[in-house]
């Protein structure tokens, strides 16, 4: 690999994800805890000589891997179930705005840990609630938590 290939966004993320997967493999069911997960990830960076990420305390830039590191499968399942339920509800209602939001959230979660910062949590919760509980006008068949 050239120096340029190592420093582009995707190259750095691929290396981060590789280290994150190794951390997840150590404790996949329960994870290491909210604080412990990030500490283990930074420890793995140092162990593998990825000092740039260790010095900056990078999270794994992938919501799914970050949740697995922090809370394991036990923490990932509720997020996935809620996301799938919201996507199914959006499809049943034919709410293209809600479906677009869910695709955006699930897609962005591949390259960013959106729920690791307060701004991300507020953004996701507000728009999910608005789109779920306030469907477009004319949709009389809306059911709560179908």
């Amino acid at each position: 690999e050239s120096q340029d290939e190592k420093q582009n966004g995707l190259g750095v993320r691929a290396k981060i994800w590789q280290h994150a997967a190794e951390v997840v493999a150590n404790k996949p069911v329960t994870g290491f805890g909210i604080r412990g997960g990030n500490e283990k990830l930074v420890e793995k960076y140092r162990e593998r000589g990825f000092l740039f990420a260790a010095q900056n305390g990078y999270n794994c830039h992938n919501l799914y891997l970050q949740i697995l590191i922090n809370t394991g499968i036990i923490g990932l399942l509720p997020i996935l179930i809620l996301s799938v339920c919201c996507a199914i509800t959006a499809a049943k209602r034919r709410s293209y705005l809600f479906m677009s939001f869910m695709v955006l959230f699930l897609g962005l979660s591949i390259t960013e840990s959106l729920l690791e910062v307060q701004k991300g949590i507020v953004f996701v919760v507000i728009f999910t609630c608005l789109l779920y509980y306030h469907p477009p006008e004319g949709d009389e068949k809306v059911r709560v938590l179908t």
Side-chain angles (χ1 to χ4, degrees), residues 73-89:
I73 294 170
I74 292 171
L76 183 62
L77 282 177
I79 297 288
L80 291 178
I81 290 169
L82 281 169
S83 297
V84 168
C85 287
C86 285
I88 289 170
T89 299

Side-chain angles (χ1 to χ4, degrees), residues 41-62:
L41 190 57
V42 169
E43 185 181 302
K44 180 62 80 173
Y45 295 152
R46 283 195 179 98
E47 177 185 311
R48 298 295 182 140
F50 193 27
L51 299 179
F52 178 74
Q55 291 167 350
N56 291 303
Y58 280 178
N59 64 24
C60 65
H61 286 76
N62 181 308

Side-chain angles (χ1 to χ4, degrees), residues 33-39 41 57-71 79 105 109 112-122 124:
I34 301 300
R35 191 162 233 186
N38 288 334
E39 290 172 359
L41 190 57
Y58 280 178
N59 64 24
C60 65
H61 286 76
N62 181 308
L63 178 67
Y64 311 112
L65 282 173
Q66 190 71 45
I67 291 173
L68 280 171
I69 289 171
N70 293 345
T71 59
I79 297 288
F105 169 66
S109 294
E112 288 298 330
S113 298
L114 289 174
L115 301 179
E116 282 292 301
V117 292
Q118 187 174 356
K119 290 183 270 188
I121 294 169
V122 170
V124 170

